[in-house]
Amino acid sequence: MKNFKKVSAVAMAMALTVASAVPAFAVEKATYTGTLSSEDLTINMDLPADGTLTVKPFAGTQISTAPLYFTNNSEDTNGVEDVIYSVNLAGYTCVATPKDTTDKNAAIKVATTIPADTTKTFSATIELGNEVSSDAVTSDAVAFKTSFASAAALNIERLSTASYDGKTVTDYTKSATDSAVDVRPGYSIPFRITGKMNTKATWAAGDKIVVVPVFSVDVSVTGSAVQ
């Protein structure tokens, strides 16, 4: 039997502070108070560090990143109260800045497909991979990179005015679909960015593209021992 808890911990605590468990005409009443513990608010996982976007407009692989990983550091209890993290590709920001900002013809555009004209256009996709043993991430990273299996993807379809920094209120383009991928204790899930550029365009050294994927992380505890 599989049960779930913790994902509703905040809602439960709020409800319990006002709950009454007595009939309408009872003289006495009971008040229940719920308290969030610190461990309920802690995400025990490695989050990705900053990565480098490789842009080579005339190369075979034109836009690429090395995979970065979300790693679930929770203890594997063989299904007894295992902490499962669900990483969702919530959206992105994408800022493209030409070297010459005064020339309108030098503007950089983004599209899901490369046009047949000579405009400076690129396409890019953010991919979440399937979970893999965390040991394989470090022991066989090269092989894993070449056999990346995409479990969820989000196409970059519009440019942003500023990059999302996670500290201030910054607008970002939100995903319209659910792209969550679960990661079990002792496992990791990677993400990467791939794309193409218009090779007919006249690209300049100094043209810049910055992509910031935005993720949300949910947590649940599953297992036959959960009450």
Side-chain angles (χ1 to χ4, degrees):
M1 179 179 180
K2 180 179 290 187
N3 299 292
F4 297 88
K5 71 175 185 180
K6 272 197 180 179
V7 288
S8 59
V10 174
M12 285 293 294
M14 293 173 63
L16 287 174
T17 60
V18 296
S20 176
V22 295
F25 299 101
V27 177
E28 297 180 354
K29 65 179 182 178
T31 300
Y32 298 86
T33 301
T35 302
L36 289 178
S37 60
S38 58
E39 57 267 23
D40 287 335
L41 301 175
T42 300
I43 296 179
N44 186 19
M45 69 187 308
D46 292 336
L47 302 176
D50 290 340
T52 299
L53 188 72
T54 301
V55 179
K56 297 181 179 180
F58 306 110
T61 302
Q62 295 171 309
I63 297 178
S64 65
T65 65
L68 297 175
Y69 303 90
F70 292 88
T71 300
N72 188 340
N73 293 317
S74 303
E75 181 181 356
D76 185 357
T77 61
N78 294 319
V80 180
E81 291 201 7
D82 277 341
V83 177
I84 309 296
Y85 292 110
S86 181
V87 180
N88 185 56
L89 184 49
Y92 64 86
T93 58
C94 178
V95 178
T97 308
K99 179 182 180 181
D100 185 354
T101 57
T102 62
D103 183 0
K104 293 183 178 179
N105 295 323
I108 302 173
K109 301 178 181 180
V110 63
T112 53
T113 57
I114 302 298
D117 56 27
T118 58
T119 57
K120 292 200 291 188
T121 307
F122 71 96
S123 66
T125 301
I126 308 168
E127 295 177 291
L128 273 174
N130 292 312
E131 66 174 7
V132 63
S133 169
S134 297
D135 293 337
V137 171
T138 54
S139 64
D140 202 7
V142 174
F144 182 71
K145 177 181 178 181
T146 58
S147 60
F148 189 103
S150 179
L154 177 60
N155 291 325
I156 296 174
E157 299 179 340
R158 62 185 295 263
L159 296 177
S160 311
T161 56
S163 293
Y164 183 79
D165 62 11
K167 298 177 181 178
T168 59
V169 178
T170 308
D171 290 333
Y172 65 92
T173 300
K174 295 177 175 60
S175 174
T177 59
D178 182 13
S179 57
V181 179
D182 291 342
V183 55
R184 296 170 293 170
Y187 283 79
S188 301
I189 54 173
F191 74 90
R192 69 177 182 180
I193 301 170
T194 59
K196 298 179 180 179
M197 303 182 72
N198 189 354
T199 57
K200 297 179 182 178
T202 303
W203 295 92
D207 286 345
K208 187 176 182 181
I209 300 170
V210 179
V211 178
V212 179
V214 180
F215 300 95
S216 62
V217 179
D218 293 326
V219 58
S220 64
V221 177
T222 74
S224 56
V226 180
Q227 300 298 322

